[in-house]
Amino acid sequence: MRNLLLLKSPPVFPGFVLKSLAALLVLAAVNGLLYFPARHQPFGLDQLHYMADLNGDRSLSAGMKRLDYCNSRLYWKGDESLYRPLLFGWLGILNSGFGDNYPYWNLMQLSLHVLFCFCFFLLLSQSAGFLMAFIFSLAFSVSPNLFELNVDPHLGGYLWSYLFFILTLLQIFKMEKCAEAWTNRDMLVLVSAMTLCLFFFEIFNGLILLPVLYLIVSRAVAKKPGFTLKQLAILALPFVVFALLYFFVHAKGSKRISYIDSFGGSLSFEQRFHSKKTILIYVLKTFQDWLALLIAPMPPTPRLFGLAQAALLVFSAVTAVSLRRLGRILLFLGCLLAYLALLCSGRPAPPMHHYNFFLLLYWLLFFYTVDVKRFRLTLLVLLAGLTVSGAVATWALSKSVESNFAARYDYYLQLKQFIETKKDERSFSFRIEQSSPQGVDPMISLRAGYADDGNALITYRRYSQIIFARYYEASNPRYELTWDKRSFQVKRMGDDSKETRRRADVIPSRPARAAGLHKKKRAA
């Protein structure tokens, strides 16, 4: 399987293919079970701003028009220094396929997580046996530190970029071991993985150069053939294309490219950073905070999981560093420091979803630091404890999502059922009565402009108004819905002089449907 992914010409051993497929199935089954309750997680604010901009348009072309969304966005403008066309292309595809069905968005995000962890397994299996690589990848996959990333579909582009970063490392390490000069196929795989990585997350324009530099140095030290001038030119092509698009398309269309942090009102680069020393302080502070999360994760993550991660951290520090892997250790240390520096050059306190790549680099550092063969039994015990405690913590987080959003999910299902039964009517539209509870259908503030623009128009829309924008009509709807804590009551508008409320149009809640109570009411 690993060789197939790398387009390697020699045949793949059937044993490894079967083991890899088994590992993939186990990763999918375990994570599917742990994250199943979290399917109730509704769209986050960034996702709602994106969908409000689309205004109910589910066409693929509408999504593709927003490839440069950081420039073209209508609400809460900002972060125009960012350029992630493939990330927003991915959101456009999901919007076209799933629209308001946020459980399907969550399922797709979970599938990406499983695929990413499987690629992580393939990378580790290059340097360790099947069992050790699988236990490492399984323990990593159930880490509660990844929970936010895995339940927010708006962050799917980050998962794609991490996945292609792993595939880039796979190809780099494979090319490092090659005794002869590299083929065109080797270069095609490497350049393709790098290109996809860059266009999903622009920060990799700086990071992805470090693995390439590592390959050049390691081949020179081993006195093996390196890149030819033609291959170097091909290798530079993704960076050249990105730079041309960034400066001549993206930057040209930006009004305030130095303005960052779109939601909440932020300052420009010039107002934030006056010296390199300031950035260094933020790098050290972020490193300290994120390292502390390894030992003392935020509640409701159990303390046992933090103790297990602390034990791994101490174990990797106590055991001797293998000089054979010193180059790879320096590579991941360099990636970690470069990542923090690039993040903190834009934000003094990076959002928590950026912590996930830090976590990935930490796990890679730990794997290549310890002597896996010498401490095999100790590692298996520690990783087993980390897997169990991580699974318990992730399950607790998933159940908390299920309980916190159960009423909101029931509200969504009933509203969805109503729309599905009525949407074929001519001129169908609806609205939600203003007295509906904020908890199940909150109002979302939409500022049409920058956060620091005092003249920007601020409007408010219901959550349901944003995700069902195709059918929502606030002024003159066909139906008006009122939520009475357990079910909707429907008022049909404009049929006669009196707008009457019909009991037959009451949508039963899930508990009522299960008990058959709505049938008794209609019979009465």
Side-chain angles (χ1 to χ4, degrees):
M1 177 62 70
R2 179 173 70 242
N3 292 340
L4 285 175
L5 285 173
L6 297 176
L7 301 178
K8 193 176 180 180
S9 52
V12 184
F13 294 108
F16 184 79
V17 173
L18 293 176
K19 288 181 179 180
S20 298
L21 289 176
L24 177 60
L25 290 175
V26 173
L27 286 171
V30 170
N31 284 275
L33 178 64
L34 293 178
Y35 280 93
F36 179 75
R39 70 192 185 281
H40 292 167
Q41 176 79 27
F43 293 125
L45 278 178
D46 286 334
Q47 180 79 25
L48 290 172
H49 298 159
Y50 176 79
M51 298 185 78
D53 203 346
L54 287 167
N55 197 30
D57 192 343
R58 287 185 56 179
S59 65
L60 185 60
S61 61
M64 295 304 104
K65 289 176 182 177
R66 289 163 174 80
L67 293 180
D68 196 3
Y69 176 69
C70 293
N71 269 351
S72 65
R73 64 188 299 169
L74 177 61
Y75 303 108
W76 295 106
K77 291 181 69 65
D79 284 340
E80 293 178 9
S81 60
L82 308 181
Y83 183 54
R84 304 166 181 177
L86 291 186
L87 185 152
F88 293 108
W90 173 246
L91 289 182
I93 292 172
L94 293 185
N95 176 69
S96 178
F98 303 140
D100 58 82
N101 289 289
Y102 63 83
Y104 290 170
W105 285 74
N106 293 333
L107 178 62
M108 185 58 67
Q109 187 75 354
L110 177 60
S111 302
L112 275 181
H113 167 67
V114 171
L115 184 60
F116 163 59
C117 292
F118 178 65
C119 292
F120 183 69
F121 156 76
L122 293 178
L123 176 65
L124 300 187
S125 64
Q126 281 190 338
S127 304
F130 169 82
L131 180 61
M132 187 60 68
F134 173 69
I135 293 294
F136 255 91
S137 58
L138 181 63
F140 176 76
S141 72
V142 301
S143 171
N145 293 320
L146 298 172
F147 188 81
E148 181 190 356
L149 179 68
N150 297 332
V151 296
D152 190 348
H154 192 73
L155 304 177
Y158 291 101
L159 269 176
W160 276 118
S161 66
Y162 303 160
L163 187 152
F164 287 115
F165 178 75
I166 291 293
L167 292 182
T168 300
L169 292 177
L170 265 171
Q171 184 65 6
I172 288 284
F173 294 160
K174 175 218 162 188
M175 294 171 68
E176 179 189 12
K177 296 177 181 178
C178 186
E180 301 176 354
W182 302 309
T183 64
N184 291 334
R185 183 174 296 179
D186 291 326
M187 292 299 302
L188 175 63
V189 174
L190 178 60
V191 172
S192 299
M194 289 172 57
T195 303
L196 291 168
C197 189
L198 299 181
F199 281 87
F200 268 109
F201 190 11
E202 74 289 327
I203 201 170
F204 282 101
N205 274 278
L207 290 179
I208 211 73
L209 288 172
L210 294 177
V212 174
L213 180 61
Y214 163 82
L215 179 60
I216 294 173
V217 173
S218 63
R219 295 284 289 189
V221 170
K223 297 181 180 180
K224 294 180 180 179
F227 290 106
T228 64
L229 290 177
K230 180 181 177 181
Q231 289 173 334
L232 285 174
I234 295 174
L235 203 60
L237 193 59
F239 302 96
V240 173
V241 173
F242 186 92
L244 290 174
L245 288 174
Y246 188 90
F247 290 107
F248 294 100
V249 178
H250 173 75
K252 189 176 180 180
S254 174
K255 295 180 180 178
R256 300 177 64 184
I257 199 166
S258 66
Y259 183 83
I260 55 179
D261 205 359
S262 60
F263 190 64
S266 301
L267 304 176
S268 66
F269 286 119
E270 296 80 5
Q271 292 170 304
R272 275 190 169 173
F273 303 110
H274 302 287
S275 66
K276 295 180 181 179
K277 182 180 178 181
T278 310
I279 299 179
L280 179 60
I281 291 173
Y282 286 133
V283 168
L284 294 176
K285 179 68 167 59
T286 304
F287 180 77
Q288 177 186 346
D289 293 344
W290 286 0
L291 196 61
L293 283 176
L294 293 173
I295 303 171
M298 293 182 295
T301 303
R303 186 178 297 274
L304 177 62
F305 178 77
L307 293 175
Q309 283 205 134
L312 280 179
L313 189 64
V314 172
F315 184 75
S316 61
V318 170
T319 55
V321 174
S322 174
L323 293 178
R324 292 186 301 106
R325 296 178 175 178
L326 184 59
R328 296 189 181 184
I329 293 171
L330 293 175
L331 165 64
F332 295 126
L333 273 176
C335 287
L336 191 148
L337 294 174
Y339 179 67
L340 288 175
L342 289 169
L343 277 182
C344 292
S345 65
R347 285 186 169 99
M352 277 307 301
H353 57 259
H354 289 301
Y355 172 68
N356 302 287
F357 189 68
F358 172 87
L359 190 69
L360 170 64
L361 292 173
Y362 162 75
W363 276 77
L364 288 171
L365 270 171
F366 169 68
F367 178 81
Y368 286 105
T369 298
V370 299
D371 192 334
V372 175
K373 294 181 179 179
R374 183 181 176 187
F375 299 100
R376 181 182 178 85
L377 183 59
T378 307
L379 269 177
L380 286 175
V381 172
L382 285 173
L383 289 170
L386 190 62
T387 303
V388 173
S389 60
V392 170
T394 299
W395 175 256
L397 289 170
S398 293
K399 292 298 288 183
S400 69
V401 168
E402 184 179 42
S403 61
N404 291 339
F405 296 108
R408 193 164 171 179
Y409 186 59
D410 188 33
Y411 180 95
Y412 163 79
L413 287 179
Q414 292 188 51
L415 184 55
K416 180 74 173 174
Q417 176 194 357
F418 168 75
I419 292 173
E420 289 298 321
T421 57
K422 302 289 187 181
K423 67 180 183 181
D424 292 331
E425 292 183 5
R426 185 178 179 182
S427 303
F428 166 70
S429 62
F430 77 97
R431 75 179 176 202
I432 308 291
E433 195 177 57
Q434 294 300 313
S435 60
S436 293
Q438 178 77 358
V440 294
D441 197 1
M443 285 288 187
I444 309 299
S445 65
L446 300 172
R447 179 188 286 268
Y450 298 93
D452 64 346
D453 183 2
N455 297 321
L457 178 65
I458 301 178
T459 56
Y460 294 88
R461 295 186 201 172
R462 288 191 173 278
Y463 178 88
S464 58
Q465 184 178 357
I466 293 175
I467 66 174
F468 295 114
R470 288 186 296 170
Y471 307 112
Y472 203 99
E473 177 59 56
S475 58
N476 188 27
R478 185 79 176 270
Y479 296 93
E480 184 178 78
L481 279 67
T482 305
W483 180 252
D484 63 359
K485 296 184 179 180
R486 297 187 65 181
S487 61
F488 278 109
Q489 290 189 343
V490 182
K491 181 194 296 183
R492 188 181 179 99
M493 313 289 286
D495 275 355
D496 48 36
S497 58
K498 294 182 179 180
E499 297 171 354
T500 59
R501 190 179 308 235
R502 302 187 302 170
R503 293 185 63 84
D505 278 338
V506 175
I507 304 174
S509 64
R510 283 190 297 170
R513 290 199 300 272
L517 297 179
H518 64 293
K519 295 181 181 179
K520 295 179 183 179
K521 288 182 179 179
R522 290 185 180 181

